[in-house]
């Protein structure tokens, strides 16, 4: 896994150019799309499957479906949305036929306070109930290089990989891909409220990890 | 008046535009006068920005090879890829 400036957030125009080339028989254009989206797809499929291996199968099966149905892709939605829709359908079908899907995870999955409650005065404090007990750094003095460092990227990636499957699917689509929240809700069948709860928990975990990293780096 | 702990719990709703106008106003009033909450909000923004720089472009060699074969079958019209 490599962090680079190009990737799943890059323009949909670029995707469309690759789609046009692969329809004309350009294998490298097809492989470029596979490399761009396959990792994302296995992470999303994990939400529906019991193991990474099954998620990997689902992602591969999705590419086969893409080959079969690319003639029907008219570019009305972005290629990415079209692709993820096929993926989610494949994953659901797999889960339904094999009956080995993980039970729908509850929202309590991996719930931890976004910030440790020990950092706030307790509710029964006569004056400062719920107020910070410690100072908080805004990270404004932290140079960009600290966040751009390969080590920081690796930590963030590792933390996202460790998240419960639902949180991982949401943060991957919303923040890694930059997909609009409404589209994430539609793809994952979540209400807006539940999507934000999952996103909040996921972002909070990554923030805590970055906080430890920044404190160690400074 | 919201507590700092409440601000922390609403921060994603705020950033995602999920607060009602009154709640948004209360959030912004608190943050305007509370440096640690302002710092926390800045941390969350920086976190989201950092996550946005990630890519997920990993694929095993085996999977890539299998998909190259599927593509070649498709290109030659060899029935089901």
């Amino acid at each position: 896994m490599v962090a680079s400036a190009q990737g799943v957030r890059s323009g949909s125009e670029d995707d469309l150019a690759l789609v046009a080339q692969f329809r004309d028989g350009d294998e490298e254009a097809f492989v470029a799309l596979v490399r761009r989206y396959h990792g994302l797809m296995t992470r999303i499929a994990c939400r529906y499957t019991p193991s990474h291996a099954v998620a990997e199968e689902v992602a591969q099966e999705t590419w086969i479906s893409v080959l079969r149905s690319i003639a029907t892709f008219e570019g009305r939605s972005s290629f990415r949305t079209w692709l993820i829709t096929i993926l989610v359908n494949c994953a659901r079908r797999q889960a339904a036929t094999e009956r080995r899907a993980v039970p729908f995870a509850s929202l309590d999955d991996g719930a931890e306070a976004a910030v440790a409650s020990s950092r706030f005065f307790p509710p029964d404090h006569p004056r400062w109930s719920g107020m910070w007990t410690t100072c908080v750094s805004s990270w404004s003095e932290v140079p960009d290089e600290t966040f751009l460092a390969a080590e920081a990227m690796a930590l963030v990636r590792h933390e996202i990989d460790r998240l419960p499957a639902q949180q991982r699917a949401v943060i991957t689509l919303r923040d890694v891909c930059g997909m609009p929240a409404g589209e994430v809700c539609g793809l994952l069948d979540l209400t807006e409220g539940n999507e934000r709860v999952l996103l909040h928990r996921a972002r909070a975990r990554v923030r805590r990890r970055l906080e430890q990293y920044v404190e160690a780096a400074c | 008046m919201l507590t700092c702990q409440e601000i922390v719990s609403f921060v994603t709703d705020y950033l995602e535009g999920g607060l009602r106008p009154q709640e948004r106003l209360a959030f912004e009033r608190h943050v305007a006068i509370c440096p640690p909450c302002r710092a926390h909000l800045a941390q969350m923004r920086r976190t989201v920005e950092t996550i946005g720089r990630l890519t997920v472009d990993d694929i095993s060699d085996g999977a890539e090879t299998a998909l190259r074969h599927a593509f070649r079958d498709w290109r030659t019209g060899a029935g089901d890829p």
Side-chain angles (χ1 to χ4, degrees):
Chain A
M1 287 192 284
V2 194
S4 66
Q6 278 294 310
V8 290
R9 278 178 93 95
S10 61
S12 55
E13 280 177 27
D14 185 37
D15 282 353
L16 292 180
L18 289 170
V19 167
Q21 288 164 25
F22 113 59
R23 273 171 149 166
D24 287 343
D26 182 344
E27 181 175 322
E28 296 314 314
F30 176 70
V31 171
L33 286 168
V34 169
R35 287 184 181 155
R36 180 172 296 171
Y37 288 116
H38 194 80
L40 167 72
M41 289 157 67
T42 52
R43 279 169 182 76
I44 294 165
C46 277
R47 175 173 181 262
Y48 300 92
T49 58
S51 69
H52 184 82
V54 178
E56 174 65 39
E57 272 172 40
V58 166
Q60 290 198 37
E61 189 196 322
T62 300
W63 287 112
I64 308 288
S65 292
V66 165
L67 289 172
R68 280 189 191 131
S69 53
I70 193 66
T72 67
F73 173 66
E74 291 172 338
R76 282 190 197 148
S77 59
S78 68
F79 173 73
R80 188 181 67 190
T81 301
W82 185 73
L83 177 71
I84 303 297
T85 307
I86 297 177
L87 172 83
V88 169
N89 288 335
C90 280
R92 286 197 178 127
R93 209 164 41 238
Q94 175 100 352
T97 53
E98 304 203 8
R99 294 181 184 280
R100 51 179 181 170
V102 278
F104 193 79
S106 80
L107 287 178
D108 289 336
D109 204 6
E112 265 175 82
V115 172
S117 56
S118 60
R119 293 185 66 182
F120 300 97
F121 285 102
D124 57 359
H125 193 278
R127 276 190 73 182
W128 293 313
S129 154
M131 302 293 162
W132 294 93
T133 56
T134 52
C135 57
V136 180
S137 151
S138 73
W139 295 349
S140 58
E141 309 291 309
V142 181
D144 279 342
E145 296 74 55
T146 306
F147 290 96
L148 290 168
E151 188 191 350
M153 287 292 150
L155 286 173
V156 170
R157 184 186 301 282
H158 180 67
E159 202 60 35
I160 290 176
D161 283 344
R162 288 178 52 218
L163 289 170
Q166 290 213 93
Q167 290 182 31
R168 185 172 59 231
V170 168
I171 200 171
T172 302
L173 288 172
R174 180 76 189 98
D175 289 344
V176 182
C177 291
M179 199 175 265
E183 218 173 297
V184 177
C185 292
L187 280 171
L188 301 180
D189 243 340
L190 293 167
T191 64
E192 283 180 21
N194 284 352
E195 187 260 355
R196 279 201 302 274
V197 167
L198 292 164
L199 184 63
H200 181 66
R201 287 178 187 162
R203 282 180 179 176
R205 277 261 296 261
V206 177
R207 187 206 64 81
R208 280 202 301 274
R209 191 66 195 85
L210 277 174
E211 184 176 45
Q212 292 165 359
Y213 163 76
V214 165
E215 279 170 10
C218 295
Chain B
M1 179 77 177
L2 293 168
T3 67
C4 301
Q5 210 162 1
E6 285 169 326
I7 290 292
V8 166
S9 67
F10 290 146
V11 73
T12 303
D13 290 322
Y14 175 74
L15 290 173
E16 294 288 289
L19 292 180
R20 289 193 289 268
Q22 281 302 316
E23 295 168 333
R24 187 171 185 86
L25 203 63
F27 186 99
E28 284 171 348
R29 278 197 187 128
H30 179 116
V31 169
I33 57 161
C34 180
C37 283
R38 209 153 52 236
H40 180 77
L41 180 62
Q43 284 190 1
M44 287 300 274
R45 287 200 164 110
R46 194 114 192 222
T47 299
V48 174
E49 198 182 297
T50 305
I51 298 167
R53 295 207 183 95
L54 279 184
T55 58
V56 276
D57 48 2
D58 54 321
I59 178 168
S60 69
D61 290 346
E64 187 176 315
T65 306
L67 290 171
R68 278 183 185 275
H69 284 302
F71 180 84
R72 287 173 203 158
D73 289 346
W74 170 80
R75 189 170 53 192
T76 56
D80 263 0

